[in-house]
Amino acid sequence: MGKNGFLTPKAIGNRIKSKGLGKLRWYCQLCQKQCRDENGFKCHQTSESHLRQMEIFGQSAQRVVEGYSEEFEECFLDHLRRAHPFSRVAAKVVYNEFIADKNHVHMNSTRWLTLTEFVKYLGREGKCKVDETPKGWFIMIELEDEKRSKRHDAEREEEQRHLASMEEQARI
């Protein structure tokens, strides 16, 4: 067996250490690389691949941040739709569930600096119903309500058409 084998103690140790979430402090969103400590992060920042990514970022910083913001918002709302479709839930609970995924887009790479700012944005855009309470911010997805009301309107129209056709048949 070679020194760089898949089952060497070093390789096994590295896989065990890489499981789960690491500290956000040592994460590079551009490269999607998690470093274990300050020294590893410093080495990563001086690497050629990171410098290349930073050069690309510098050319269109606003576009990159907007891309991350759109992806974050889309994934967050998708998680909210699936995990809490009709319930009013604390924003920090949804956020903690969302960031449990190791491969999520980090909020610090978006245009929103805080969860509160992001929740207010969702309320302003009409994507969620937002309430501020002494216990924190609570959100509820709005899109499901719209779909439900559209479906209800369509069912009501269908029922009216059916009743009208029944009355017409009764006259004949």
Side-chain angles (χ1 to χ4, degrees):
M1 214 193 272
K3 277 189 165 183
N4 296 333
F6 181 74
L7 295 174
T8 61
K10 182 175 182 177
I12 293 170
N14 285 340
R15 280 196 306 279
I16 289 170
K17 290 176 194 172
S18 72
K19 285 185 181 174
L21 293 171
K23 278 193 174 187
L24 180 59
R25 187 172 180 186
W26 314 122
Y27 185 79
C28 177
Q29 182 71 51
L30 279 176
C31 303
Q32 296 180 346
K33 178 163 176 53
Q34 177 72 51
C35 299
R36 289 193 201 125
D37 57 11
E38 184 176 8
N39 186 43
F41 191 66
K42 192 186 299 182
C43 290
H44 168 70
Q45 286 179 317
T46 59
S47 70
E48 187 179 329
S49 62
H50 178 76
L51 294 175
R52 237 182 292 121
Q53 290 287 349
M54 289 302 290
E55 192 174 315
I56 293 168
F57 176 76
Q59 293 171 357
S60 59
Q62 189 64 31
R63 197 174 87 210
V64 172
V65 170
E66 281 303 311
Y68 283 134
S69 298
E70 288 173 15
E71 187 178 349
F72 179 84
E73 178 184 347
E74 181 182 316
C75 293
F76 185 89
L77 289 174
D78 187 47
H79 174 75
L80 182 61
R81 254 184 232 104
R82 291 177 187 208
H84 309 282
F86 302 110
S87 57
R88 181 176 167 263
V89 64
K92 65 181 178 183
V93 170
V94 178
Y95 181 71
N96 286 333
E97 292 171 355
F98 175 70
I99 65 171
D101 175 23
K102 186 176 181 179
N103 298 317
H104 71 280
V105 176
H106 295 268
M107 187 180 275
N108 66 354
S109 61
T110 67
R111 62 182 167 178
W112 303 288
L113 300 176
T114 63
L115 181 60
T116 300
E117 195 175 323
F118 177 63
V119 169
K120 287 180 180 178
Y121 163 80
L122 292 175
R124 271 195 317 273
E125 294 295 312
K127 296 180 180 183
C128 288
K129 183 178 177 188
V130 176
D131 299 320
E132 184 181 12
T133 67
K135 292 186 177 183
W137 288 91
F138 284 80
I139 57 177
M140 182 176 166
I141 195 78
E142 282 285 323
L143 298 176
E144 298 300 324
D145 291 339
E146 291 176 15
K147 287 181 183 176
R148 235 185 305 147
S149 67
K150 286 180 183 177
R151 190 179 327 126
H152 184 65
D153 291 345
E155 288 173 357
R156 192 179 311 127
E157 286 178 19
E158 180 66 30
E159 189 177 319
Q160 288 173 351
R161 274 190 247 128
H162 181 68
L163 288 174
S165 68
M166 294 290 277
E167 289 175 5
E168 195 174 306
Q169 287 178 359
R171 284 188 219 150
I172 295 177

